[in-house]
Amino acid sequence: MSGTAVAYFRCSSLAQAESGLGLEAQRSAVEAFCSAQKLKLVSTYSDEGVSGSTAPQDREMLPRAIAAIASGEATHLVVARLDRLSR
C-alpha cells in the first residue's frame, strides 16, 4: 500500500484527552501503521471527549477528515482502532 493518509483520533473522556495518554497512544499506532504501509500522513483530526455513540455527522472533526478524503487531499483514512470511529 502507498499513498497519502489523514488520521482520525477520538477519546471519550475529557480527562483522557487532557492527559494525552489516549491521543498519544492512538497517534503512535497510526504513525507506525502509516510508516509500515508507506503512507504519508498529511493531516490529523481529533475529537476529544466525544462518545463513540455520537453520530459521525454530530462530531466536529470526523466530517472534516472524511471531507479531506473526498477532496483528494488524501487517499486513506486511518484510525488506531475501529472503535475510534463508532460503537
Side-chain angles (χ1 to χ4, degrees):
M1 182 182 319
S2 65
T4 54
V6 295
Y8 176 70
F9 309 119
R10 182 191 61 77
C11 56
S12 298
S13 73
L14 287 176
Q16 185 183 34
E18 290 170 359
S19 75
L21 295 175
L23 297 177
E24 291 279 331
Q26 290 176 53
R27 181 178 299 277
S28 293
V30 165
E31 288 174 350
F33 176 82
C34 287
S35 178
Q37 298 298 316
K38 299 188 179 10
L39 291 170
K40 180 181 178 187
L41 187 58
V42 295
S43 296
T44 63
Y45 299 87
S46 299
D47 278 321
E48 301 171 12
V50 176
S51 170
S53 64
T54 301
Q57 67 273 14
D58 294 335
R59 301 179 196 184
E60 182 180 355
M61 300 308 282
L62 181 55
R64 292 182 189 186
I66 294 168
I69 301 296
S71 73
E73 178 184 341
T75 55
H76 297 80
L77 173 65
V78 180
V79 293
R81 291 177 32 177
L82 190 55
D83 69 355
R84 300 299 87 195
L85 286 176
S86 82
R87 293 266 176 206

XYZ file of all heavy atoms in Angstrom:
636
model
N 0.859 -1.169 0.000
C 0.000 0.000 0.000
C 0.908 1.236 0.000
O 1.953 1.244 0.609
C -0.880 -0.021 1.258
C -1.839 1.104 1.348
S -2.871 1.160 2.858
C -3.327 -0.499 3.171
N 0.487 2.242 -0.667
C 1.170 3.530 -0.602
C 0.147 4.615 -0.890
O -0.961 4.333 -1.318
C 2.323 3.588 -1.596
O 1.832 3.522 -2.913
N 0.511 5.840 -0.665
C -0.385 6.959 -0.889
C -0.298 7.945 0.248
O 0.710 8.021 0.953
N -1.365 8.686 0.437
C -1.423 9.682 1.499
C -2.566 9.338 2.447
O -3.522 8.671 2.065
C -1.649 11.089 0.907
O -2.803 11.051 0.066
C -0.443 11.539 0.102
N -2.443 9.809 3.663
C -3.447 9.465 4.671
C -3.772 10.655 5.557
O -2.927 11.517 5.796
C -2.943 8.312 5.535
N -5.007 10.659 6.028
C -5.402 11.523 7.140
C -5.734 10.588 8.294
O -6.193 9.461 8.088
C -6.596 12.442 6.798
C -6.227 13.432 5.716
C -7.823 11.664 6.402
N -5.467 11.042 9.498
C -5.732 10.241 10.688
C -6.862 10.866 11.476
O -6.993 12.093 11.533
C -4.483 10.146 11.554
N -7.667 10.012 12.078
C -8.734 10.463 12.958
C -8.514 9.852 14.330
O -8.332 8.629 14.465
C -10.106 10.052 12.417
C -11.233 10.405 13.354
C -11.592 11.728 13.560
C -11.927 9.421 14.050
C -12.616 12.061 14.435
C -12.956 9.745 14.915
C -13.291 11.074 15.108
O -14.303 11.393 15.977
N -8.488 10.697 15.354
C -8.328 10.273 16.738
C -9.568 10.694 17.521
O -10.125 11.768 17.280
C -7.104 10.932 17.383
C -5.843 10.793 16.585
C -5.182 11.911 16.108
C -5.307 9.549 16.291
C -4.015 11.809 15.379
C -4.146 9.428 15.551
C -3.497 10.556 15.094
N -9.990 9.835 18.463
C -11.117 10.169 19.331
C -10.902 9.547 20.692
O -10.422 8.422 20.805
C -12.436 9.632 18.745
C -13.656 10.000 19.587
C -14.903 9.246 19.160
N -14.758 7.800 19.293
C -14.833 7.129 20.440
N -15.037 7.758 21.572
N -14.691 5.818 20.458
N -11.209 10.298 21.729
C -11.244 9.727 23.071
C -12.527 10.199 23.743
O -13.006 11.304 23.501
C -10.007 10.067 23.884
S -9.658 11.795 24.046
N -13.090 9.328 24.548
C -14.410 9.569 25.130
C -14.408 10.557 26.275
O -15.336 11.347 26.414
C -15.020 8.257 25.618
O -15.192 7.384 24.541
N -13.401 10.529 27.109
C -13.428 11.387 28.293
C -12.483 12.568 28.134
O -11.416 12.456 27.534
C -13.060 10.596 29.548
O -11.681 10.314 29.558
N -12.891 13.690 28.681
C -12.024 14.868 28.653
C -10.761 14.633 29.469
O -9.691 15.118 29.111
C -12.777 16.092 29.144
C -13.818 16.644 28.173
C -14.589 17.794 28.798
C -13.162 17.092 26.880
N -10.866 13.860 30.556
C -9.686 13.568 31.371
C -8.662 12.795 30.542
O -7.464 13.078 30.595
C -10.079 12.767 32.609
N -9.133 11.840 29.766
C -8.239 11.075 28.895
C -7.609 12.001 27.853
O -6.425 11.916 27.576
C -9.022 9.950 28.220
C -8.181 9.029 27.381
C -9.037 7.984 26.670
O -10.168 8.244 26.288
N -8.477 6.812 26.481
N -8.391 12.902 27.305
C -7.877 13.836 26.301
C -6.841 14.772 26.903
O -5.793 15.015 26.305
C -9.027 14.640 25.700
N -7.137 15.297 28.088
C -6.223 16.243 28.726
C -4.922 15.586 29.148
O -3.870 16.217 29.129
C -6.914 16.915 29.912
C -8.006 17.874 29.471
C -8.873 18.377 30.609
O -8.652 17.974 31.781
O -9.779 19.177 30.330
N -4.960 14.310 29.513
C -3.740 13.615 29.921
C -2.842 13.335 28.727
O -1.647 13.173 28.858
C -4.078 12.292 30.617
O -4.489 11.320 29.662
N -3.453 13.290 27.538
C -2.687 12.994 26.337
C -2.463 11.508 26.118
O -2.008 11.101 25.067
N -2.770 10.692 27.116
C -2.474 9.265 27.005
C -3.276 8.596 25.902
O -2.737 7.847 25.102
C -2.704 8.563 28.346
C -1.773 8.997 29.464
C -2.171 8.340 30.777
C -0.332 8.694 29.122
N -4.562 8.850 25.838
C -5.374 8.220 24.813
C -4.993 8.680 23.417
O -4.814 7.876 22.505
N -4.839 9.976 23.270
C -4.495 10.514 21.950
C -3.063 10.176 21.562
O -2.787 9.876 20.402
C -4.720 12.030 21.930
C -6.172 12.462 22.139
C -6.263 13.980 22.170
C -7.081 11.896 21.075
N -2.147 10.212 22.522
C -0.745 9.882 22.233
C -0.614 8.428 21.764
O 0.111 8.143 20.823
C 0.121 10.098 23.477
C 0.273 11.535 23.873
C 1.318 12.267 23.060
O 2.273 11.639 22.598
O 1.144 13.484 22.879
N -1.313 7.526 22.430
C -1.261 6.112 22.054
C -1.834 5.905 20.654
O -1.279 5.152 19.846
C -2.015 5.264 23.071
N -2.934 6.590 20.359
C -3.526 6.475 19.028
C -2.581 7.029 17.969
O -2.387 6.430 16.919
C -4.867 7.223 18.977
C -5.954 6.550 19.783
C -7.227 7.354 19.788
O -7.744 7.715 18.733
N -7.747 7.639 20.969
N -1.994 8.188 18.245
C -1.065 8.796 17.297
C 0.119 7.864 17.011
O 0.496 7.666 15.868
C -0.567 10.142 17.812
C 0.395 10.840 16.848
C 0.825 12.194 17.371
N -0.286 13.095 17.552
C -0.822 13.819 16.579
N -0.351 13.741 15.356
N -1.831 14.628 16.844
N 0.676 7.282 18.051
C 1.806 6.365 17.878
C 1.427 5.165 17.013
O 2.185 4.767 16.127
C 2.317 5.873 19.234
O 2.893 6.929 19.946
N 0.253 4.606 17.270
C -0.197 3.447 16.494
C -0.412 3.813 15.027
O -0.014 3.069 14.117
C -1.483 2.874 17.089
N -1.016 4.960 14.780
C -1.282 5.397 13.405
C 0.025 5.699 12.682
O 0.213 5.312 11.524
C -2.235 6.613 13.387
C -2.232 7.307 12.040
C -3.639 6.161 13.757
N 0.950 6.380 13.339
C 2.228 6.696 12.708
C 2.995 5.423 12.350
O 3.583 5.330 11.272
C 3.056 7.608 13.605
C 2.503 9.017 13.657
C 3.219 9.922 14.654
O 4.043 9.428 15.462
O 2.939 11.139 14.620
N 2.973 4.431 13.241
C 3.650 3.164 12.961
C 3.008 2.458 11.768
O 3.701 1.931 10.892
C 3.628 2.261 14.194
N 1.671 2.444 11.728
C 0.964 1.811 10.615
C 1.288 2.513 9.303
O 1.589 1.859 8.302
C -0.548 1.838 10.868
C -1.345 1.281 9.722
C -1.515 -0.089 9.575
C -1.914 2.123 8.778
C -2.230 -0.604 8.498
C -2.638 1.627 7.709
C -2.794 0.250 7.568
N 1.222 3.832 9.306
C 1.498 4.587 8.076
C 2.920 4.330 7.591
O 3.146 4.154 6.389
C 1.262 6.076 8.289
S -0.488 6.511 8.411
N 3.854 4.303 8.496
C 5.244 4.028 8.129
C 5.382 2.638 7.500
O 6.007 2.476 6.459
C 6.141 4.150 9.358
O 7.473 3.850 9.024
N 4.772 1.651 8.137
C 4.851 0.269 7.635
C 4.186 0.119 6.270
O 4.626 -0.685 5.442
C 4.219 -0.694 8.639
N 3.126 0.894 6.042
C 2.375 0.785 4.788
C 2.817 1.803 3.733
O 2.211 1.895 2.666
C 0.872 0.962 5.063
C 0.301 -0.088 5.980
C 0.424 -1.484 5.395
O 0.163 -1.703 4.220
N 0.839 -2.432 6.218
N 3.851 2.573 4.056
C 4.367 3.598 3.148
C 3.306 4.643 2.782
O 3.182 5.058 1.640
C 4.984 2.967 1.916
C 6.154 2.060 2.247
C 6.871 1.591 1.032
C 8.063 0.710 1.284
N 8.362 0.192 2.541
N 2.538 5.028 3.796
C 1.551 6.087 3.648
C 2.115 7.373 4.234
O 2.662 7.366 5.345
C 0.257 5.746 4.399
C -0.586 4.609 3.850
C -1.681 4.229 4.838
C -1.182 5.006 2.514
N 1.992 8.462 3.518
C 2.411 9.765 4.032
C 1.234 10.378 4.786
O 0.178 10.619 4.213
C 2.830 10.679 2.883
C 3.273 12.046 3.354
C 3.666 12.937 2.200
C 4.063 14.309 2.732
N 4.289 15.254 1.650
N 1.428 10.612 6.077
C 0.388 11.194 6.920
C 0.385 12.703 6.691
O 1.340 13.393 7.028
C 0.656 10.858 8.384
C -0.404 11.246 9.397
C -1.745 10.605 9.066
C 0.047 10.848 10.793
N -0.686 13.218 6.083
C -0.730 14.632 5.703
C -1.548 15.500 6.657
O -1.325 16.703 6.711
C -1.228 14.813 4.249
C -0.247 14.197 3.271
C -2.608 14.249 4.046
N -2.495 14.931 7.392
C -3.318 15.703 8.330
C -3.835 14.795 9.429
O -3.996 13.590 9.224
C -4.532 16.322 7.635
O -4.160 17.257 6.677
N -4.112 15.397 10.578
C -4.740 14.660 11.676
C -5.948 15.444 12.175
O -5.968 16.680 12.134
C -3.758 14.419 12.839
O -3.350 15.674 13.378
C -2.540 13.625 12.388
N -6.940 14.716 12.643
C -8.179 15.295 13.151
C -8.510 14.595 14.467
O -8.440 13.375 14.539
C -9.320 15.086 12.152
C -9.051 15.738 10.813
C -8.341 15.070 9.819
C -9.480 17.039 10.564
C -8.069 15.674 8.606
C -9.220 17.646 9.338
C -8.513 16.962 8.370
O -8.238 17.563 7.167
N -8.867 15.361 15.491
C -9.146 14.791 16.810
C -10.460 15.294 17.369
O -10.722 16.499 17.363
C -8.043 15.169 17.802
O -6.800 14.683 17.395
N -11.264 14.373 17.864
C -12.459 14.697 18.635
C -12.176 14.257 20.061
O -12.064 13.064 20.344
C -13.697 13.971 18.081
C -14.315 14.680 16.898
O -14.367 15.930 16.915
O -14.756 13.992 15.965
N -12.035 15.225 20.950
C -11.681 14.942 22.338
C -12.921 15.033 23.219
O -13.675 15.997 23.134
C -10.625 15.927 22.804
C -9.369 15.851 21.950
C -8.375 16.955 22.240
O -8.533 17.669 23.243
O -7.444 17.102 21.448
N -13.132 14.015 24.027
C -14.281 13.992 24.922
C -15.589 13.716 24.210
O -16.636 14.190 24.617
N -15.527 12.914 23.138
C -16.717 12.598 22.342
C -16.970 11.095 22.402
O -16.088 10.295 22.080
C -16.528 13.041 20.866
C -17.717 12.615 20.020
C -16.319 14.542 20.792
N -18.160 10.719 22.787
C -18.532 9.306 22.884
C -18.561 8.641 21.513
O -18.930 9.272 20.517
C -19.913 9.182 23.522
O -20.396 7.855 23.418
N -18.208 7.380 21.475
C -18.288 6.605 20.240
C -19.710 6.420 19.755
O -19.938 6.096 18.596
N -20.679 6.635 20.628
C -22.077 6.506 20.222
C -22.614 7.783 19.567
O -23.718 7.782 19.025
C -22.948 6.134 21.415
O -22.940 7.169 22.376
N -21.830 8.851 19.588
C -22.226 10.096 18.922
C -22.201 9.875 17.414
O -21.222 9.362 16.878
C -21.274 11.245 19.297
O -21.295 11.410 20.714
C -21.670 12.547 18.624
N -23.256 10.233 16.745
C -23.348 10.043 15.293
C -22.190 10.760 14.594
O -21.804 11.857 15.000
C -24.674 10.570 14.770
N -21.626 10.145 13.567
C -20.488 10.756 12.862
C -20.747 12.202 12.433
O -19.868 13.054 12.570
C -20.285 9.841 11.658
C -20.768 8.514 12.126
C -21.945 8.825 13.017
N -21.916 12.496 11.940
C -22.202 13.849 11.469
C -22.327 14.857 12.615
O -22.265 16.061 12.388
C -23.454 13.883 10.582
C -24.744 13.573 11.300
C -25.083 12.090 11.366
O -24.252 11.231 11.100
N -26.327 11.789 11.721
N -22.467 14.354 13.851
C -22.584 15.233 15.006
C -21.251 15.501 15.695
O -21.207 16.194 16.707
C -23.578 14.651 16.019
C -24.994 14.619 15.469
O -25.297 15.432 14.559
O -25.780 13.777 15.926
N -20.185 14.965 15.166
C -18.850 15.225 15.692
C -18.250 16.389 14.913
O -18.623 16.643 13.778
C -17.965 13.996 15.533
C -18.519 12.787 16.249
C -17.647 11.604 16.046
N -18.361 10.391 16.401
C -17.814 9.206 16.402
N -16.550 9.069 16.057
N -18.519 8.150 16.742
N -17.339 17.086 15.518
C -16.749 18.233 14.830
C -15.720 17.822 13.776
O -15.736 18.328 12.655
C -16.089 19.171 15.844
C -15.493 20.404 15.200
C -14.847 21.334 16.193
O -14.922 21.107 17.409
O -14.240 22.310 15.726
N -14.837 16.901 14.123
C -13.684 16.648 13.266
C -13.820 15.459 12.314
O -13.163 15.444 11.277
C -12.435 16.473 14.133
C -12.135 17.700 14.986
S -12.068 19.261 14.068
C -10.468 19.119 13.330
N -14.632 14.464 12.635
C -14.762 13.314 11.733
C -15.276 13.723 10.354
O -14.709 13.293 9.340
C -15.629 12.216 12.350
C -15.804 10.957 11.504
C -14.456 10.350 11.104
C -16.655 9.944 12.245
N -16.295 14.567 10.252
C -16.716 15.005 8.911
C -15.605 15.732 8.143
O -15.493 15.605 6.926
C -17.907 15.930 9.188
C -18.451 15.448 10.494
C -17.231 15.048 11.283
N -14.770 16.458 8.873
C -13.643 17.141 8.211
C -12.625 16.139 7.676
O -12.071 16.325 6.594
C -12.971 18.107 9.169
C -13.842 19.282 9.528
C -13.110 20.220 10.436
N -14.013 21.244 10.967
C -13.630 22.255 11.699
N -12.358 22.415 12.014
N -14.504 23.131 12.136
N -12.374 15.088 8.446
C -11.443 14.051 7.984
C -11.988 13.371 6.730
O -11.248 13.135 5.761
C -11.204 13.029 9.099
N -13.273 13.076 6.732
C -13.899 12.441 5.569
C -13.879 13.393 4.376
O -13.614 12.981 3.240
C -15.325 11.975 5.920
C -15.249 10.843 6.962
C -16.073 11.533 4.675
C -16.571 10.488 7.600
N -14.108 14.671 4.628
C -14.067 15.668 3.546
C -12.674 15.759 2.932
O -12.534 15.990 1.728
C -14.518 17.029 4.061
N -11.646 15.568 3.736
C -10.272 15.593 3.216
C -10.054 14.462 2.213
O -9.360 14.639 1.199
C -9.264 15.499 4.363
N -10.652 13.327 2.462
C -10.576 12.205 1.522
C -11.367 12.554 0.258
O -10.884 12.391 -0.863
C -11.137 10.914 2.149
C -10.377 10.539 3.414
C -11.136 9.767 1.138
C -8.937 10.188 3.224
N -12.571 13.059 0.435
C -13.441 13.391 -0.697
C -12.819 14.459 -1.597
O -13.002 14.432 -2.819
C -14.809 13.845 -0.201
N -12.071 15.384 -0.995
C -11.470 16.465 -1.777
C -10.187 16.054 -2.484
O -9.647 16.818 -3.277
C -11.175 17.668 -0.869
O -10.052 17.383 -0.033
N -9.687 14.866 -2.145
C -8.450 14.398 -2.766
C -7.198 14.760 -1.995
O -6.087 14.491 -2.452
N -7.349 15.361 -0.823
C -6.182 15.691 -0.003
C -5.405 14.425 0.360
O -4.187 14.444 0.477
C -6.614 16.421 1.271
C -5.476 16.750 2.205
C -5.921 17.387 3.518
O -7.047 17.906 3.599
O -5.129 17.353 4.462
N -6.135 13.331 0.540
C -5.519 12.057 0.904
C -6.317 10.920 0.288
O -7.460 11.097 -0.133
C -5.473 11.903 2.425
N -5.683 9.761 0.261
C -6.326 8.582 -0.321
C -6.835 7.606 0.737
O -7.596 6.700 0.403
C -5.346 7.837 -1.246
O -4.154 7.512 -0.516
C -4.987 8.679 -2.455
N -6.417 7.782 1.979
C -6.776 6.851 3.051
C -7.150 7.595 4.327
O -6.565 8.632 4.639
C -5.589 5.933 3.384
C -5.176 5.050 2.266
N -4.396 5.472 1.210
C -5.437 3.745 2.020
C -4.192 4.475 0.383
N -4.811 3.419 0.841
N -8.102 7.019 5.061
C -8.439 7.470 6.411
C -7.949 6.378 7.355
O -8.306 5.212 7.196
C -9.954 7.662 6.569
C -10.454 7.979 7.974
C -9.931 9.332 8.441
C -11.972 7.945 8.022
N -7.122 6.751 8.336
C -6.527 5.776 9.240
C -6.949 6.089 10.669
O -6.923 7.249 11.090
C -4.983 5.799 9.129
C -4.357 4.786 10.070
C -4.541 5.539 7.700
N -7.353 5.054 11.392
C -7.668 5.155 12.816
C -6.861 4.094 13.549
O -6.500 3.067 12.975
C -9.174 4.969 13.102
C -9.975 6.117 12.515
C -9.683 3.647 12.574
N -6.581 4.339 14.808
C -5.804 3.377 15.591
C -6.579 2.088 15.822
O -6.008 1.001 15.801
C -5.390 3.993 16.926
N -7.879 2.223 16.048
C -8.754 1.069 16.256
C -10.119 1.416 15.698
O -10.539 2.568 15.720
C -8.884 0.761 17.750
C -7.608 0.239 18.363
C -7.716 -0.001 19.842
N -9.059 -0.401 20.273
C -9.359 -0.720 21.518
N -8.453 -0.676 22.446
N -10.582 -1.067 21.829
N -10.831 0.414 15.249
C -12.144 0.635 14.658
C -13.118 1.292 15.631
O -13.954 2.105 15.214
C -12.724 -0.692 14.146
C -13.975 -0.613 13.296
C -13.770 0.316 12.104
C -14.375 -1.993 12.831
N -12.996 1.021 16.919
C -13.919 1.619 17.878
C -13.703 3.122 18.049
O -14.493 3.800 18.699
C -13.897 0.908 19.214
C -12.607 1.100 20.000
O -11.653 1.726 19.489
O -12.554 0.608 21.144
N -12.673 3.684 17.456
C -12.486 5.131 17.456
C -13.478 5.799 16.501
O -13.808 6.962 16.639
C -11.069 5.540 17.095
C -9.978 5.008 18.020
C -10.139 5.482 19.465
N -11.015 4.593 20.236
C -11.563 4.878 21.398
N -11.363 6.044 21.968
N -12.338 4.039 22.016
N -13.976 5.037 15.535
C -14.974 5.570 14.601
C -16.370 5.502 15.184
O -17.128 6.462 15.099
C -14.937 4.819 13.268
C -13.762 5.131 12.363
C -13.798 4.244 11.128
C -13.752 6.588 11.973
N -16.743 4.341 15.747
C -18.080 4.220 16.323
C -18.168 2.986 17.208
O -17.284 2.150 17.206
C -19.147 4.163 15.228
O -19.267 2.877 14.703
N -19.260 2.918 17.906
C -19.523 1.763 18.785
C -20.610 0.922 18.155
O -21.456 1.335 17.477
C -19.985 2.247 20.149
C -18.917 2.964 20.891
C -18.213 2.007 21.792
N -17.112 2.731 22.431
C -16.045 2.120 22.860
N -15.905 0.843 22.713
N -15.103 2.783 23.431
